[in-house]
Amino acid sequence: MSDNKLVYSTETGRIKQQEAAPARPAGDGIVRIRRQTSGRKGKGVCLISGLPLDDSGLATLAAELKKKCGCGGALKDGVIEIQGDKRDLLKSLLEQKGFKVKLAGG
């Protein structure tokens, strides 16, 4: 039983505890695309969630989708944001990559 709560050592300095990266919850295998305008001053974005990829895979997919749509976007907390209402184009692009896609929300 190692109940060591050492925070400083004169030999090595401050000792930090290793924190595990928070794991995203596993989805149901369906990628959902929804449109959101709330909190964005009326500007709409498409949110793509439920992708079974790690952070680097999400970043490359987001860059590819932004390039194919010809618009901007971002990757925040495992959710890809694409500017504008491009749900139909995004759905066809993701289905070509082999994902099961649903359009969610209004």
Side-chain angles (χ1 to χ4, degrees):
M1 183 171 139
S2 177
D3 202 17
N4 190 359
K5 298 201 187 244
L6 186 65
V7 294
Y8 188 82
S9 170
T10 55
E11 295 175 5
T12 60
R14 183 162 301 278
I15 299 171
K16 293 185 179 181
Q17 298 293 329
Q18 296 293 330
E19 293 184 19
R24 282 193 291 277
D28 56 357
I30 298 173
V31 177
R32 288 182 169 77
I33 303 174
R34 69 180 188 272
R35 185 171 175 269
Q36 185 183 53
T37 56
S38 63
R40 301 177 190 278
K41 299 180 183 175
K43 307 287 186 191
V45 295
C46 290
L47 301 176
I48 304 169
S49 60
L51 288 162
L53 300 172
D54 59 346
D55 289 337
S56 63
L58 284 173
T60 56
L61 180 63
E64 181 181 340
L65 291 175
K66 290 189 294 185
K67 196 175 291 184
K68 295 243 173 130
C69 291
C71 60
L75 174 64
K76 296 181 183 174
D77 299 327
V79 177
I80 298 176
E81 296 180 1
I82 301 291
Q83 293 175 351
D85 188 8
K86 306 214 180 335
R87 288 179 290 180
D88 297 327
L89 177 60
L90 290 169
K91 182 178 181 189
S92 64
L93 290 172
L94 290 171
E95 284 175 342
Q96 287 175 4
K97 292 197 167 288
F99 294 112
K100 186 175 180 183
V101 182
K102 277 189 178 179
L103 295 179

